[in-house]
Amino acid sequence: MKFLRKHLLLTRVLWTLALLTIFLIGQSIIIPGIDPAVAKAALKQQTYLQMMGVTIGSQLQVPTLFSLGLGPYMIGLIVWQAIIALDLDWVNRLTVNQTGYIQKVISLSLAFLQGIQMLGYLSPALVPVVFMNMTIPTEWVQFGVLMILIAGTMITIFMGNLNAEKGLGGISILILPGVLLGMPRMLQAGWQTLNYKLTVPHLITAGIVSLVVIVILVMLLQIELRIPLQRPLMEGSGSASYLPFKLLLAGAMPFMFSSTLFLVPRGLLASNAALRSNWFAQFIQSITNQTTVAGIINYGVIILLLTYGFGFITVQPLRLSKQMKENNEYILDVFPGHETTSYLMRCFWLMATLGGLCLAVIALIPLLLGLKWPGIANYTIYIGSLAILITLIQGMWEQIRALYSKEHYRVFD
């Protein structure tokens, strides 16, 4: 124990490996009362669910203990961050404990809603459960499946928070196994209708594309706009600093949700025959079809809009301007108050637009090539998974470097 306390980096690695092992075991425990074969066939038809599963660490091929993964937590966190970005007074007055309770309630509510949605897809897969020579009614089986899904989600969130405290990579590390295991599937059948066989030439092509995309994304993640900042209350070199606005303000978040958001309207129409019989439904189907020019343009617009949305939540320029005023900080040649807010918003729109266009170009190139060579379009989904993987690894690597520097820091040689 003394050895582990001395070697903090090793201790955190062991904690992360232990929690990932438990998470993977939980994702292999099939929920009782479900026919796995029927459930797999039913869930496979929901393309947007499969894509969402890869991006948020869920296991939506077969219902298991940890099927919902971090989905409710991540969506709830986005909702809460959006509320915080509005800079409301009642939100600013909340304590840390109150904020934690609110986030847990939001996650629990979303887990309940997602569980209900899963039950709707799994209704044909429900089978009678016999306990002590008694057949449990279907309604009770449904309730039991729902409770298991919700409980699994809350356990996953607990493990993620535990990893944030004691391990590496924070709560998002639990997404890593799903992304790694799902990448081959995304490349092979990303859009379900465009199968891309993993032959040797295709794998070599995927390797080259992966290398090029990794280099491009790593470079884009390093680009930032540095706004000169003055801190009068600090002395020395600390009084003159800068405020960084990254080019990719939202990181990989637009990639994470673009495919799902793109396909959700199509999935809703497919589940309701009455909605498919009018001109508006045909229009929706045309702009959510990745094999049409209209669909490709719409996909690019979605990435750009998600960049604006997630970028605003991440940077929170309105809240940032208020904090600068409270801390007596100011930008060179810009008056505090309203002018600072306007200046930060202009910087935000500039960087968000440029970053969103960069992501859109990366995503749309495979779709455009797919118009001539079917199957190439799957690279859009694959690159999205790769972008998520890069941001996860980058965050974990920065934490490892910080811990390594801390362990080897010496005041005197």
Side-chain angles (χ1 to χ4, degrees):
M1 296 300 295
K2 184 178 179 180
F3 174 81
L4 292 177
R5 285 195 298 269
K6 184 177 179 181
H7 296 81
L8 183 59
L9 179 57
L10 177 60
T11 304
R12 287 184 173 272
V13 170
L14 292 176
W15 266 104
T16 299
L17 291 177
L19 291 170
L20 284 175
T21 301
I22 296 172
F23 183 67
L24 289 173
I25 292 174
Q27 283 198 328
S28 64
I29 300 176
I30 299 176
I31 297 176
I34 298 289
D35 186 327
V38 177
K40 187 174 183 179
L43 292 175
K44 187 178 181 180
Q45 298 175 3
Q46 308 302 323
T47 307
Y48 75 95
L49 275 183
Q50 303 304 319
M51 292 183 180
M52 179 180 287
V54 173
T55 56
I56 60 179
S58 303
Q59 205 286 84
L60 300 177
Q61 291 183 301
V62 180
T64 63
L65 177 60
F66 295 151
S67 264
L68 298 183
L70 288 174
Y73 170 83
M74 293 185 65
I75 297 173
L77 183 61
I78 292 170
V79 171
W80 182 245
Q81 289 296 326
I83 295 173
I84 292 176
L86 297 176
D87 196 28
L88 303 173
D89 290 335
W90 70 270
V91 175
N92 296 331
R93 289 195 297 267
L94 293 174
T95 64
V96 175
N97 288 336
Q98 289 174 329
T99 300
Y101 285 130
I102 292 174
Q103 289 180 325
K104 288 183 176 66
V105 170
I106 293 175
S107 298
L108 182 61
S109 302
L110 289 172
F112 176 79
L113 294 176
Q114 289 192 12
I116 292 292
Q117 181 189 32
M118 284 279 288
L119 280 179
Y121 296 132
L122 295 174
S123 55
L126 294 174
V127 295
V129 175
V130 179
F131 180 74
M132 298 182 64
N133 296 325
M134 294 178 58
T135 302
I136 300 177
T138 304
E139 293 78 10
W140 284 101
V141 174
Q142 290 179 324
F143 180 77
V145 171
L146 178 61
M147 290 299 102
I148 291 174
L149 287 172
I150 295 174
T153 297
M154 302 313 292
I155 294 172
T156 303
I157 295 173
F158 170 77
M159 290 194 301
N161 289 325
L162 187 62
N163 185 71
E165 179 184 351
K166 297 180 178 294
L168 292 173
I171 193 169
S172 300
I173 197 65
L174 296 182
I175 301 175
L176 189 60
V179 175
L180 286 173
L181 295 174
M183 286 178 68
R185 187 172 70 252
M186 289 295 97
L187 182 59
Q188 188 174 12
W191 297 99
Q192 298 296 321
T193 57
L194 300 171
N195 187 269
Y196 188 78
K197 295 182 179 179
L198 300 183
T199 60
V200 174
H202 287 174
L203 290 174
I204 294 174
T205 303
I208 296 173
V209 171
S210 300
L211 182 61
V212 173
V213 170
I214 288 173
V215 172
I216 293 174
L217 287 177
V218 170
M219 291 175 61
L220 292 177
L221 287 168
Q222 304 303 317
I223 298 174
E224 62 184 19
L225 172 65
R226 297 182 175 183
I227 303 172
L229 191 67
Q230 292 294 314
R231 295 186 171 99
L233 298 181
M234 296 184 66
E235 297 181 357
S237 59
S239 61
S241 182
Y242 64 87
L243 187 64
F245 268 51
K246 289 187 173 296
L247 178 64
L248 301 185
L249 292 172
M253 296 293 282
F255 269 136
M256 291 180 70
F257 294 95
S258 58
S259 301
T260 303
L261 190 60
F262 181 75
L263 292 175
V264 163
R266 197 175 187 86
L268 294 175
L269 291 176
S271 62
N272 193 320
L275 295 177
R276 298 197 300 267
S277 59
N278 56 59
W279 67 268
F280 182 73
Q282 295 176 356
F283 171 74
I284 293 297
Q285 288 179 337
S286 67
I287 64 172
T288 56
N289 187 342
Q290 75 285 351
T291 61
T292 64
V293 175
I296 294 174
I297 294 174
N298 180 46
Y299 191 83
V301 171
I302 288 175
I303 288 182
L304 194 59
L305 293 177
L306 288 176
T307 301
Y308 290 138
F310 287 124
F312 188 83
I313 292 172
T314 302
V315 178
Q316 300 182 18
L318 301 179
R319 187 182 180 92
L320 182 61
S321 175
K322 183 178 180 181
Q323 290 176 344
M324 288 175 59
K325 185 176 181 180
E326 292 173 349
N327 297 330
N328 292 319
E329 300 172 346
Y330 65 91
I331 300 171
L332 291 175
D333 302 324
V334 180
F335 285 104
H338 178 71
E339 289 195 22
T340 297
T341 302
S342 300
Y343 182 82
L344 291 177
M345 286 302 299
R346 288 197 299 271
C347 292
F348 165 76
W349 286 114
L350 172 65
M351 299 304 287
T353 301
L354 293 176
L357 290 175
C358 289
L359 293 180
V361 169
I362 294 173
L364 296 188
I365 287 176
L367 291 178
L368 292 172
L369 294 176
L371 295 177
K372 184 172 179 61
W373 298 287
I376 299 296
N378 288 352
Y379 273 98
T380 292
I381 311 298
Y382 174 77
I383 291 173
S385 300
L386 191 61
I388 299 168
L389 183 63
I390 291 170
T391 53
L392 289 175
I393 293 177
Q394 186 184 44
M396 187 167 59
W397 177 247
E398 290 177 355
Q399 189 178 1
I400 291 173
R401 287 181 59 186
L403 289 170
Y404 182 82
S405 299
K406 181 180 178 181
E407 287 188 354
H408 292 79
Y409 178 76
R410 298 290 184 272
V411 178
F412 300 105
D413 292 332

